Amino acid sequence: NAGVTQTPKFRVLKTGQSMTLLCAQDMNHEYMYWYRQDPGMGLRLIHYSVGEGTTAKGEVPDGYNVSRLKKQNFLLGLESAAPSQTSVYFCASSSLAGGVNEQYFGPGTRLTVT
Amino acid sequence: GENVEQHPSTLSVQEGDSAVIKCTYSDSASNYFPWYKQELGKRPQLIIDIRSNVGEKKDQRIAVTLNKTAKHFSLHITETQPEDSAVYFCAASIRGNQFYFGTGTSLTVIP
């Protein structure tokens, strides 16, 4: 049981390049989330999904797109990377089973945009 | 949307003393309040949580209190140990869909 995994762990992009971050969970969770973490800013929600085939915008969605084609995967895309998107990205998943919504986080992806 | 404020941003305590971190939230619809511990370079991990129908919850040396009227909740760590040193984040969730995080408290426990 791997929990929540993220690919890749590190990435350096040039301004204008695109990339996709992959999040996978093996806990059969309905909910999945993408956050970015910047120094002094805490975690900010980019997009989230409440089930396969559904996505919604979070606090800071501009410049990002997401897809949830399979229940276990949640992809975060950057179509044209900007230096302001340099950050650590965390994926999380949760389930409302039993009325609890504990989030489990992935190990993070450190992205640098030059 | 929801706005979560967290204080203090840094906190130093002597080993064995207590530490208290406070958060306020703005949206009265928030009903779930987790606390996370994040060690350097690691992922956030849930240490305790509380739901809006409960005023206090305790787990060994860690406790959380919630005041719905004042819209604030606090984390209390007693008998602190060096391994408690980390960044702690509070969060508030509305209906379990979206989570809003505080900006974090860097706790240092001095041996």
Side-chain angles (χ1 to χ4, degrees):
Chain A
N1 194 340
V4 181
T5 58
Q6 291 182 231
T7 309
K9 289 186 170 52
F10 303 93
R11 186 74 187 267
V12 178
L13 287 179
K14 293 190 189 308
T15 298
Q17 287 184 320
S18 63
M19 78 164 293
T20 300
L21 281 67
L22 170 64
C23 176
Q25 53 95 4
D26 60 3
M27 297 174 283
N28 201 34
H29 285 170
E30 299 91 6
Y31 290 21
M32 296 187 74
Y33 314 80
W34 275 108
Y35 294 92
R36 60 177 290 172
Q37 185 174 35
D38 302 295
M41 300 286 287
L43 289 102
R44 291 182 293 168
L45 183 64
I46 304 171
H47 287 279
Y48 66 100
S49 168
V50 300
E52 181 179 324
T54 71
T55 63
K57 293 180 180 180
E59 219 179 329
V60 289
D62 294 342
Y64 305 94
N65 56 74
V66 289
S67 64
R68 183 112 182 256
L69 299 179
K70 294 182 179 180
K71 186 176 184 180
Q72 64 268 34
N73 294 339
F74 196 28
L75 279 64
L76 177 71
L78 287 74
E79 289 187 350
S80 180
S84 60
Q85 294 178 304
T86 293
S87 188
V88 178
Y89 292 86
F90 285 99
C91 174
S93 71
S94 68
S95 172
L96 274 179
V100 177
N101 197 27
E102 177 181 350
Q103 288 188 100
Y104 294 82
F105 283 86
T109 296
R110 185 173 294 276
L111 174 66
T112 302
V113 183
T114 61
Chain B
E2 174 65 280
N3 181 43
V4 177
E5 295 191 357
Q6 183 172 346
H7 300 281
S9 57
T10 60
L11 179 61
S12 291
V13 299
Q14 290 292 134
E15 182 177 356
D17 287 350
S18 296
V20 180
I21 302 170
K22 299 182 179 181
C23 289
T24 61
Y25 62 99
S26 60
D27 195 326
S28 57
S30 292
N31 61 359
Y32 176 63
F33 306 92
W35 284 89
Y36 295 87
K37 176 182 181 182
Q38 187 178 28
E39 296 174 345
L40 190 63
K42 300 287 182 66
R43 71 191 80 187
Q45 292 200 302
L46 181 74
I47 55 171
I48 196 166
D49 56 9
I50 192 167
R51 304 192 71 83
S52 59
N53 58 350
V54 175
E56 183 173 358
K57 184 176 178 180
K58 190 173 182 180
D59 183 2
Q60 298 183 334
R61 298 186 295 108
I62 296 174
V64 56
T65 58
L66 171 65
N67 183 326
K68 283 193 301 181
T69 304
K71 295 197 190 72
H72 68 69
F73 56 112
S74 301
L75 177 71
H76 304 253
I77 305 174
T78 58
E79 300 172 21
T80 52
Q81 301 167 3
E83 51 265 37
D84 294 329
S85 295
V87 178
Y88 291 81
F89 292 96
C90 63
S93 174
I94 303 173
R95 298 182 298 277
N97 285 353
Q98 299 194 52
F99 286 78
Y100 296 86
F101 283 76
T103 50
T105 296
S106 178
L107 173 65
T108 302
V109 179
I110 303 165

